[in-house]
Amino acid sequence: MRYISTRGLAPALDFRGATLAGLANDGGLYVPEAWSRGPEGGIAALRPLPYAEAAARIAACFVGDSVSADGLSADFRAAYAGFVDPHIAPLMPLGDGEWLMELHHGPTLAFKDIALQWLGRLFARFLGQRQLTILGATSGDTGSAAIHALAGLPQVTVVMLHPHGRVSEVQRRQMTTVTAPNVHNLALTGDFDDCQRIVKAVLKNPPSGGELGAVNSINWARLLAQVVYYWTACARLGGPAAFSVPTGNFGDVFAGYVAASMGAPVARLIVATNGNDILHRALSAGDYSRGAVVPTTSPSMDIQVSSNFERLLFDLWGRDADCTRAEMGDFDAGGRLTLDAATLRQASQHFASAAVSEAEAAETMRGAWHDHGVLIDPHTAVGLAAARRVGPPGPGVPMVTLATAHPAKFPEAVRAATGVKPPIPDRLAAMLEGEERMTVLPASEAAVRGVIAELAGLGRAA
Ligand SMILES: *Cc1c(COP(=O)(O)O)cnc(C)c1O
C-alpha cells in the first residue's frame, strides 16, 4: 500500500513513512493510493472478535509490509490494555433506535486516546534506535492524550506547549502530573496561537543534530485507528447504521468515510459542529470560508480550519492533485473556497450536517439526564442534537452518536446544564491530586529552542 499527497508533489511513501512524516512536504496530506476493500467476511467475520483483534484485521488492509499481522495484534492489545471498558468502544442504547458509542474509556477520558495509544506503539516500532523529539501545542485534549501515549518511550522526548493559565485545570493536570522523565510541559505566557506559531516555526526550521516530529490530527495512522469503531458498531448492530460525529478537524468523521469507502455499511455521516460552523456551511451551502473562532462549551471543536477536510475534497474533486493544490493554495491565501452544486451532491451521498447552538447543546445534556439518566459531555451533546435534527436516512436504521469525551472532563458545563456534578473516575482523580511538573516560559521561539537544545544535550550525556 502506497500513500500519495493530496497536492501531488511530495514523494509517495509506505505506511511507515506516512506515519512518521505527518504532513507531506508539499503542504498536502497523505492518503492511500486507493481505498482497500474491508476485511474478509465483512461485519459478520468481525462480530465475534475482541476489539483489538478487529482493529488488527482492519488496519491490515492499509499497512502493507510495514507491520506484520502478529505485530498489529500485539500493538493493538497493548494500546488498549489500560482502557477501563473491555469493549473499548461500547454501544449504549438510549431507546427508539438511538445509541451512544462511548469512546472515552482510555487514560485521558477522550476519544483521542483510541488513536494516540496505538500511534505510540507504532512510533516505538518504527523508530528502532532513532531518537525523536515530539513538539506539540495544545489547548486541550490532544496534548494530554499524546503525553499519556508517549510517556516512558525511550526513543521519544515530548515537549508540549500550552498557554499558561488558559487551559482548564483538568486539562492542565492531565498533562502536568505525568512523571515520566521524557515528558516536558512548557507553559508559555501567551495564548494558544502563540504556542502554535512557535511550534510551526521550530518544525519548519529544526535545530541541527536532532530529529523533530509532530503528532497532529492530520497523521494518517491516527485516522486509521478511528476507522475501526465504525466497523465494529455496524458489526454489533448487524447491518447499516448512521453516525453523528462531533467534529472539529474533520478527522473522526473522515474515518467514518474511510470505513464506508472500504465497504462498511455506514448509511449516513452527520457532521455535527458547534457555533464554529465552517464545515456545516461548506456541506450545506458550499461556503468553506474561515471565520473568527468563538469560544464554546465544547472547546475541542472550536476550530475554523479543518485540516482533514482536504482529504475529502481530494476525493470529491476526482483525486485530481493539481486541482486540489490550486484550490487549497487559494484557500490558504484567501481563507475562502466555494464548492459547486455537483461537488455538494456528491458529498451528500455520504454526509449531512448541522450546527448546534450553546442553548441546544445544554438542553440536550439536560434531556439526556432527565429522560435517560445519562450524563453526557458538551461535545457529545452537539452530536446528539445534530443526530436528532437530521435523523437516520430511513426508518429502522440505528442512529449512533459518538460520545467523544467523558462528562467528568467538562464538569462545569455538565453541572450548569443538568444540575448534577459528574462523578470523577479513579483514573482522573489520581491526576487531580498528583504533583505537577511544568516550566513557565515567555512566549518566545528562542526560549523554546533553548529548552529543546538543552534536552538534546541531556540525552547525549545520559
Ligand atoms: C478532538 C475532539 C473532537 C473533534 O474531533 P476531530 O477529529 O477534530 O473532528 C470532538 N470531541 C472531543 C472531545 C475531542 O477531543
Side-chain angles (χ1 to χ4, degrees), residues 110-112 141 226 246-252 300-301 377 379 404-405:
F111 87 100
K112 290 185 173 70
D141 295 338
Q226 295 166 207
T247 306
N249 245 326
F250 205 73
D252 206 7
S300 299
M301 297 153 62
D377 99 290
H379 303 77
T404 51

Side-chain angles (χ1 to χ4, degrees), residues 113-420:
D113 289 326
I114 293 185
L116 284 163
Q117 285 290 324
W118 183 49
L119 192 66
R121 265 71 191 184
L122 285 178
F123 277 163
R125 179 176 287 282
F126 291 155
L127 284 170
Q129 298 303 309
R130 281 161 64 196
Q131 290 288 324
L132 182 68
T133 297
I134 293 287
L135 181 64
T138 188
S139 57
D141 295 338
T142 300
S144 57
I147 284 172
H148 283 260
L150 301 171
L153 279 191
Q155 302 96 325
V156 175
T157 302
V158 183
V159 178
M160 191 60 67
L161 277 47
H162 73 262
H164 187 40
R166 300 196 194 198
V167 299
S168 78
E169 183 178 1
V170 172
Q171 288 177 323
R172 186 189 73 241
R173 284 183 166 275
Q174 284 189 311
M175 298 191 281
T176 57
T177 57
V178 174
T179 55
N182 69 328
V183 171
H184 305 275
N185 282 291
L186 305 185
L188 300 197
T189 51
D191 60 19
F192 175 65
D193 289 339
D194 292 322
C195 297
Q196 200 155 32
R197 177 177 49 76
I198 291 169
V199 166
K200 279 193 182 146
V202 176
L203 286 173
K204 206 166 162 193
N205 185 10
S208 56
E211 262 191 280
L212 217 52
V215 283
N216 39 29
S217 70
I218 45 107
N219 189 293
W220 166 256
R222 277 183 67 176
L223 294 184
L224 181 50
Q226 295 166 207
V227 171
V228 174
Y229 43 73
Y230 291 93
W231 276 100
T232 58
C234 293
R236 160 85 203 283
L237 295 167
F243 295 88
S244 180
V245 188
T247 306
N249 245 326
F250 205 73
D252 206 7
V253 71
F254 186 77
Y257 170 80
V258 174
S261 302
M262 299 166 73
V266 172
R268 168 172 281 170
L269 291 163
I270 299 171
V271 175
T273 74
N274 61 26
N276 298 289
D277 62 350
I278 178 170
L279 287 166
H280 173 58
R281 282 185 281 117
L283 291 166
S284 59
D287 169 26
Y288 189 64
S289 60
R290 191 160 49 205
V293 174
V294 290
T296 70
T297 50
S298 43
S300 299
M301 297 153 62
D302 290 348
I303 282 174
Q304 277 290 347
V305 176
S306 298
S307 340
N308 282 292
F309 198 51
E310 178 167 342
R311 287 186 158 114
L312 176 68
L313 291 172
F314 179 66
D315 261 23
L316 294 176
W317 292 331
R319 302 204 129 211
D320 180 340
D322 293 334
C323 164
T324 307
R325 186 170 67 252
E327 295 282 346
M328 293 313 297
D330 286 353
F331 178 79
D332 289 345
R336 149 168 241 125
L337 198 148
T338 305
L339 307 181
D340 64 18
T343 307
L344 286 183
R345 247 195 325 279
Q346 225 187 312
S348 71
Q349 294 179 4
H350 291 285
F351 296 98
S353 66
V356 173
S357 70
E358 290 293 279
E360 201 181 350
E363 176 53 29
T364 306
M365 279 189 269
R366 199 195 64 76
W369 175 244
H370 282 270
D371 302 340
H372 305 287
V374 177
L375 288 176
I376 58 175
D377 99 290
H379 303 77
T380 306
V382 167
L384 189 57
R388 288 173 175 169
R389 192 157 351 132
V390 177
V397 178
M399 181 79 244
V400 179
T401 295
L402 275 56
T404 51
H406 191 288
K409 223 173 157 164
F410 300 94
E412 293 81 14
V414 173
R415 186 166 54 177
T418 64
V420 178

